[in-house]
Amino acid sequence: MKALCWEGVNELSVEDVPDPELRNDQDVIVKVSAGTTCGSDLHLIGGYIPAMRAGDVIGHEFLGEIVEVGPGVRRHKVGDRVVVCSFVGCGRCWYCANDLWSLCDNSNTNPGITQAMWGYEPGAVFGYSHAMGGLRGSHAEYVRVPFADYGAFPVPDEVDDVSALFASDSAPTGWMGADLGGVRPGDVVAVWGCGAVGQMAARAAMLLGAERVVCIDRFPERLAMTRQHIGAETIDYTETDVGAELRELTGGRGPDVCIEAVGMEAHGTGPDYAYDQAKQQLRLHTDRPTAVREAIYSCRKGGSVFVLGVFGGAVDKFPLGALMNKGLTLRGAQMHGQRYIPMLLDRIAKGELSTRHLATHEMSLDEAPTAYDMFKHKKDGCVRAVIRPGGAAA
Amino acid sequence: MKRAFVAAAVVAGVGAGLVRRLRSRAASRQDDLSRWLVVTVNVPPERFGETPEPLARLKDHIEIRTAPAPGGKGTELAARLCGNGRTGGTGPIARLSGNDPRQPVREALREAKSLIETGEIMKPDAPPTTRSTPGGKLVGLVTRRASGEGRL
Ligand SMILES: NC(=O)c1ccc[n+]([C@@H]2O[C@H](COP(=O)([O-])OP(=O)(O)OC[C@H]3O[C@@H](n4cnc5c(N)ncnc54)[C@H](O)[C@@H]3O)[C@@H](O)[C@H]2O)c1
Ligand SMILES: [Zn+2]
Ligand SMILES: [Zn+2]
């Protein structure tokens, strides 16, 4: 079959790879109808995530049709249209049982690597390096889905493919940021990053009762989209002083909850950005925490900061003093999608959560390297490119 | 040029991290072989049955014990090398070449836990990749050891 492969830093190509097979009784094989580019892939492509091999199939946010079912699968049958959670959870370890699905004990087949890096290993995610489980990704005609009873969810008939697609990864990620960030009715919430993840976090904050949601980015089309489709206020960080703007908007208090949806390749304007970039290029530190720093600094006393953006290693100039002295709660996570996906599909069906607008481009699998180039460089207003292995939809 | 540099840096970064990890353990190596390696299985002690197969296979080289985990977190399943199982290298070379005697114990503990909790041991996709490059070979070596490495 055809698949999009990582060939080296900033090198992608569409290759012929062997078809996936059922490897465990609880697996299904999904024929992918749509997948999408995610900001996390950019960190992979840029070479910031270790343990990639040339020829690895990437992609983790997808939807498709079940074409083969292992004998241990109870909840699915051939022909089901399903959206699949990007993280694989076994459903029965202590973490899965406690709704902390991305921390699953049983899905990462290479636990030694991330245990050495981080102390303990997270669960596996599709197409995201051998450190994160080594599973093949979803920018392919077919993909194997382990523990499918727990990670694949039937899509309601009234929800179209593209709308449902974002329930695989970006929507549950955003929801988790607002939920576990502790958004409560009446809160003022600030979100860094107006990509799909940031937009979904902003919408989740509103649905959880936030009174005011302010989103920060620099791309005018993303800021406009966030105002129009999410209904949040926006700040262009290249035009103004974000901290001062947030103080003015919050009666001088600062936001109650700050959600960072930018990640390790954050862009910035000041000298600290140049410093971070130089150090990252030399691999002296792995991540640029520009937006995390700003979130911690801007957050109100006793507030909460949730890191949704992906980071890989150690960061420099981390404002630990601000965190400690302001009594902040800092939390982060890879997405616990299984916890939210059915609820999100339901909200999409009811029209409470709009996702379709995120799909600014639709392309075939052959065009996937171009799709990633557009997405990486935010060309032509690209927010998310949807990749259709069966060819672009009519 | 730049790309080659970045790729080399990534590989070197992973390698250096690994070597640092392996070396930092060297000092405390002495007692390592007698240490209990432990996983917590999400099953209450009263439902914890026979020693599962992956561990039973090693029975001549290990001792096994179980204890209830606090807070209803299940059952702690521990194993450690005993008798002539306690011989063999534990340095970086032994670990990279797959000759550290703790590696099969860690792997068996993880497999036992997964079997009890889920009824299966999840397998990676096969083949792992379709292309062979020097960086890929290094990653391949690391992943071949990864199920028996890390911290238990
Ligand atoms: N936690 C999870 O499970 C999870 C899941 C999916 C994605 N992610 C991560 O979320 C992040 C965002 O993903 P995405 O798909 O929306 O990516 P994206 O690239 O589309 O969006 C990132 C946005 O951040 C903006 N940005 C850059 N620097 C900024 C700064 N200093 N301040 C404010 N905004 C800034 C960019 O302009 C861009 O619009 C990535 O790091 C991705 O890896 C995490
Ligand atoms: Zn993602
Ligand atoms: Zn699990």
Side-chain angles (χ1 to χ4, degrees), chain A residues 5-182:
Chain A
C5 298
W6 185 90
E7 295 297 343
V9 176
N10 292 324
E11 250 180 272
L12 295 175
S13 74
V14 178
E15 306 278 337
D16 264 316
V17 302
D19 283 357
E21 297 166 1
L22 297 174
R23 299 268 292 155
N24 287 101
D25 285 357
Q26 298 171 45
D27 293 353
V28 302
I29 304 289
V30 167
K31 180 171 196 267
V32 180
S33 24
T36 174
T37 57
C38 170
S40 302
D41 299 325
L42 299 180
H43 312 323
L44 268 189
I45 295 167
Y48 298 105
I49 305 287
M52 287 296 289
R53 297 184 71 162
D56 283 347
V57 180
I58 69 163
H60 57 265
E61 186 162 8
F62 66 103
L63 151 148
E65 185 192 323
I66 295 182
V67 291
E68 228 181 307
V69 187
V73 175
R74 299 282 165 266
R75 299 178 192 159
H76 299 292
K77 57 179 193 316
V78 168
D80 286 358
R81 184 168 71 120
V82 290
V83 63
V84 178
C85 183
S86 55
F87 267 81
V88 179
C90 76
R92 288 150 288 184
C93 70
W94 187 87
Y95 292 99
C96 291
N98 283 276
D99 256 347
L100 301 167
W101 294 81
S102 66
L103 307 177
C104 178
D105 271 342
N106 295 316
S107 64
N108 188 336
T109 56
N110 298 321
I113 302 176
T114 43
Q115 284 191 357
M117 286 163 64
W118 300 325
Y120 293 94
E121 81 290 5
V125 55
F126 293 97
Y128 211 73
S129 88
H130 295 270
M132 297 296 280
L135 287 171
R136 288 212 213 137
S138 58
H139 291 318
E141 293 174 81
Y142 298 93
V143 62
R144 163 188 171 231
V145 176
F147 297 127
D149 277 343
Y150 299 91
F153 298 87
V155 180
D157 286 343
E158 62 273 33
V159 179
D160 65 278
D161 279 4
V162 173
S163 298
L165 167 60
F166 299 102
S168 161
D169 186 66
S170 37
T173 301
W175 195 279
M176 177 182 74
D179 179 31
L180 302 188

Side-chain angles (χ1 to χ4, degrees), chain A residues 39-40 43 173 217 219 222 262 267 308 310 333 335 378 384:
Chain A
S40 302
H43 312 323
T173 301
D217 206 304
F219 291 103
R222 289 183 170 222
V262 175
H267 165 264
L308 288 175
V310 165
M335 51 89 77
K378 315 302 184 219
R384 282 298 180 91

Side-chain angles (χ1 to χ4, degrees), chain A residues 5 7-11 15-21 23-27 46-56 88 90 92-95 97 105-113 115-117 119-121 124 130-131 133-137 144 146-147 281-283, chain B residues 2-3 5-11 13-14 17-18 21 25 40-43 71-74 106 110-111 113-133 135-152:
Chain A
C5 298
E7 295 297 343
V9 176
N10 292 324
E11 250 180 272
E15 306 278 337
D16 264 316
V17 302
D19 283 357
E21 297 166 1
R23 299 268 292 155
N24 287 101
D25 285 357
Q26 298 171 45
D27 293 353
Y48 298 105
I49 305 287
M52 287 296 289
R53 297 184 71 162
D56 283 347
V88 179
C90 76
R92 288 150 288 184
C93 70
W94 187 87
Y95 292 99
D105 271 342
N106 295 316
S107 64
N108 188 336
T109 56
N110 298 321
I113 302 176
Q115 284 191 357
M117 286 163 64
Y120 293 94
E121 81 290 5
H130 295 270
L135 287 171
R136 288 212 213 137
R144 163 188 171 231
F147 297 127
Q281 292 297 319
L282 293 169
R283 269 27 189 202
Chain B
K2 182 174 167 235
R3 186 178 293 155
F5 167 72
V6 173
V10 172
V11 172
V14 177
L18 193 74
R21 273 287 151 198
R25 295 280 177 84
T40 299
V41 185
N42 191 26
V43 167
K73 286 195 173 71
R106 286 199 195 94
R110 287 176 177 136
E111 291 185 356
K113 169 181 158 72
S114 186
L115 271 177
I116 298 169
E117 288 180 342
T118 75
E120 65 183 31
I121 300 161
M122 198 182 120
K123 295 186 188 141
D125 282 330
T129 184
T130 43
R131 291 259 314 276
S132 184
T133 61
K137 285 204 180 109
L138 176 63
V139 174
L141 172 65
V142 172
T143 52
R144 274 199 301 287
R145 300 290 164 259
S147 58
E149 272 297 332
R151 312 174 341 141
L152 284 189

